[in-house]
Amino acid sequence: MLTVNPSERLTYRRITAQDRDFLFEIDQDEEVMRYLTGGRKTTRKEVDEVFIPRIESFNNEEKGWGLWQVSLSTGNRQAIGWILVRPLGFFTGAPQPDNLELGWRFRRQSWGKGYATEAAKAVLDSLRQAGCPQFSAIALEDNHGSINIMQKLGMQYLRTERYTDAIFDEDVVVYSTHPFNG
């Protein structure tokens, strides 16, 4: 089973269906959801009937796929966000198991402190040590915060494309590391 070692300020553990309250709470901030749903908050029913089944469909403990909860390592040890790991294009019918998509969602009060970059880098480093050669991330073109994180992870802009799956249909920018590089 893949593990992610604590980083300078953060600890990591896999998210399960038992974390439904945490998943719901993060999605109750319109700014957190701005580039995902246009600011619409997720309902408990959506967490239970859509989000958790989707997570479970790509969850693979051995390979490190799933959601990794990110918590502060000192003070109140609050869970502040999560890092997503799954094959790029998993829900599009053309998954790329050797090119892992990284994604993130963090409580607004943790923004601007480098936590998402630190967490994504810790997860990426663990996956790279396990042999994954390439990482990608997608975002809406005006989501400058996420694009900044992608660049800090060594990803470069590849293309803009239409990303369509059962719940998402938008033009996105795709950033990626190159195999065995970046």
Side-chain angles (χ1 to χ4, degrees):
M1 177 170 49
L2 189 119
T3 59
V4 177
N5 292 322
S7 56
E8 182 180 342
R9 304 173 292 168
L10 306 170
T11 61
Y12 311 94
R13 74 165 179 81
R14 299 183 61 73
I15 286 180
T16 69
Q18 304 307 311
D19 295 302
R20 62 182 24 91
D21 289 341
F22 166 71
L23 296 170
F24 173 77
E25 289 166 13
I26 280 194
D27 289 6
Q28 298 313 294
D29 184 326
E30 292 96 349
E31 278 301 303
V32 170
M33 302 306 291
R34 179 178 180 189
Y35 297 107
L36 301 165
T37 63
R40 185 184 59 77
K41 298 175 185 179
T42 304
T43 67
R44 284 198 181 270
K45 182 177 180 179
E46 288 170 319
V47 168
D48 289 339
E49 295 180 8
V50 177
F51 200 55
I52 289 175
R54 281 174 66 96
I55 295 166
E56 290 173 342
S57 72
F58 62 81
N59 188 46
N60 183 319
E61 290 185 33
E62 182 82 16
K63 294 181 179 181
W65 302 355
L67 291 187
W68 291 88
Q69 185 179 76
V70 179
S71 298
L72 297 173
S73 59
T74 59
N76 65 6
R77 302 183 187 272
Q78 177 188 24
I80 59 171
W82 52 255
I83 300 291
L84 168 141
V85 178
R86 67 180 175 211
L88 183 66
F90 186 83
F91 290 110
T92 66
Q96 300 175 35
D98 292 329
N99 182 5
L100 295 183
E101 177 185 355
L102 299 180
W104 38 84
R105 193 171 303 171
F106 280 75
R107 296 181 193 269
R108 188 178 354 168
Q109 63 264 33
S110 70
W111 293 359
K113 298 176 180 164
Y115 293 136
T117 302
E118 180 180 332
K121 184 174 181 346
V123 171
L124 182 150
D125 288 347
S126 294
L127 292 162
R128 186 172 275 146
Q129 289 172 6
C132 184
Q134 186 172 0
F135 301 90
S136 295
I138 64 172
L140 296 179
E141 190 172 18
D142 57 349
N143 187 345
H144 301 291
S146 282
I147 291 169
N148 188 39
I149 293 166
M150 295 172 199
Q151 292 169 338
K152 287 180 180 179
L153 294 173
M155 294 181 183
Q156 297 174 344
Y157 172 81
L158 285 184
R159 65 186 171 274
T160 299
E161 69 181 23
R162 190 74 177 183
Y163 184 94
T164 303
D165 68 23
I167 63 171
F168 193 83
D169 185 16
E170 297 277 348
D171 288 332
V172 297
V173 292
V174 179
Y175 278 69
S176 186
T177 62
H178 298 289
F180 309 107
N181 179 5

